[in-house]
């Protein structure tokens, strides 16, 4: 993860802690179908997992690789998702 220049400023301990929390809260799913929504094959796997999990959102800072929502899954950034959650509170 820290091989990306734009992420090198992040505190490694905080990142490790967030990853641990996400892993504890995560639900593993197995894709039942193949999708071709993105021109990047690895991103299609994320769409497939979102579909299998019936996820409401794919949260990414790389929205250009996720050109459109699929089924009930919307594409958003972390910042926009937090704003949506704050507005609902």
């Amino acid at each position: 993860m820290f091989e990306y220049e734009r992420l090198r400023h992040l505190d490694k301990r905080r990142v490790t802690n967030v990853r641990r929390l996400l892993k504890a809260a995560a639900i593993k799913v197995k894709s039942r179908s193949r999708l071709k929504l993105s021109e990047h094959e690895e991103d299609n796997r994320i769409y497939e997992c979102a579909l299998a999990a019936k996820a409401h959102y794919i949260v990414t800072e790389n929205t250009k690789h996720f050109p459109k929502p699929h089924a009930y899954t919307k594409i958003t950034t972390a910042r926009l998702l937090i704003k949506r959650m704050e507005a609902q509170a």
Side-chain angles (χ1 to χ4, degrees):
M1 180 179 124
F2 291 101
E3 65 269 10
Y4 295 108
E5 182 66 36
R6 69 183 183 278
L7 300 178
R8 289 198 179 133
H9 71 282
L10 298 175
D11 181 285
K12 290 180 182 177
R13 276 190 250 149
R14 286 185 77 188
V15 170
T16 299
N17 191 42
V18 169
R19 290 179 75 179
R20 183 184 54 77
L21 292 169
L22 288 171
K23 188 174 182 178
I27 299 168
K28 290 187 179 184
V29 296
K30 185 167 180 135
S31 171
R32 297 172 198 245
S33 62
R34 288 289 203 207
L35 295 174
K36 180 71 173 150
L37 302 171
S38 173
E39 57 189 59
H40 297 90
E41 272 309 306
E42 57 276 1
D43 295 336
N44 286 315
R45 303 299 82 79
I46 294 171
Y47 273 116
E48 293 162 9
C49 289
L51 183 64
K54 298 181 181 163
H56 293 278
Y57 296 98
I58 292 174
V59 182
T60 180
E61 296 305 310
N62 193 5
T63 56
K64 68 181 180 192
H65 284 197
F66 296 88
K68 57 187 170 186
H70 180 69
Y72 32 74
T73 304
K74 297 176 181 106
I75 311 303
T76 190
T77 64
R79 182 168 283 137
L80 287 175
L81 182 61
I82 290 168
K83 282 183 182 180
R84 284 186 183 125
M85 292 169 69
E86 288 174 343
Q88 291 177 355

